Amino acid sequence: MEKINEEEIHNAVAWLKDSASQCAEAKATRVYLEAFTKSLKAILMSRKMELPISAQERDAYASKEYQDHLKAVKIAIERDEKNKYLRESAMVKIETWRTQEANLRAIKL
């Protein structure tokens, strides 16, 4: 395994700091869109009050608005998960570097 150098660690720490707002925004968008799904369904169902509940629900799920919303949810989830895995990767790199440094100090003693 190749040793992780300090520049890589500085870059990882800088990325974690610099991407915090972007990651928070992606997470907020995901959570909002997932929560809005129920509201959108209710809004769409209310447009067909003359139909039985099951038909209202069917029409809501089949609507272009609902399908577009699901596409937006998918994109939000992809962005949030990508950020999550990139952050985890940076953290693992930092932890690996810490372990390497501790091992080097132990060897020098």
Side-chain angles (χ1 to χ4, degrees):
M1 181 173 174
E2 193 174 312
K3 185 177 182 312
I4 299 170
N5 64 45
E6 287 190 35
E7 182 181 349
E8 290 178 278
I9 296 309
H10 291 296
N11 291 340
V13 170
W15 184 85
L16 286 169
K17 180 179 129 317
D18 296 343
S19 69
S21 291
Q22 172 191 335
C23 292
E25 184 178 335
K27 179 71 171 190
T29 299
R30 175 186 183 171
V31 170
Y32 171 79
L33 287 173
E34 287 176 336
F36 184 68
T37 300
K38 291 180 182 180
S39 295
L40 179 60
K41 178 182 168 188
I43 291 166
L44 295 171
M45 287 177 68
S46 71
R47 293 179 184 168
K48 307 276 182 130
M49 294 294 285
E50 71 282 359
L51 297 175
I53 296 291
S54 59
Q56 291 175 24
E57 188 173 41
R58 179 199 62 225
D59 286 355
Y61 285 143
S63 73
K64 178 165 176 18
E65 288 171 278
Y66 196 83
Q67 298 302 313
D68 289 345
H69 172 72
L70 291 179
K71 288 175 187 171
V73 170
K74 178 182 182 275
I75 291 167
I77 290 170
E78 286 174 356
R79 287 180 182 162
D80 184 37
E81 290 297 311
K82 179 181 177 183
N83 286 332
K84 173 184 162 187
Y85 294 128
L86 288 172
R87 291 182 71 76
E88 287 177 4
S89 175
M91 295 299 293
V92 166
K93 183 178 278 189
I94 292 166
E95 288 303 315
T96 302
W97 176 79
R98 284 181 181 166
T99 300
Q100 287 176 349
E101 293 298 307
N103 288 343
L104 285 175
R105 281 191 302 276
I107 290 170
K108 290 178 183 179
L109 295 178

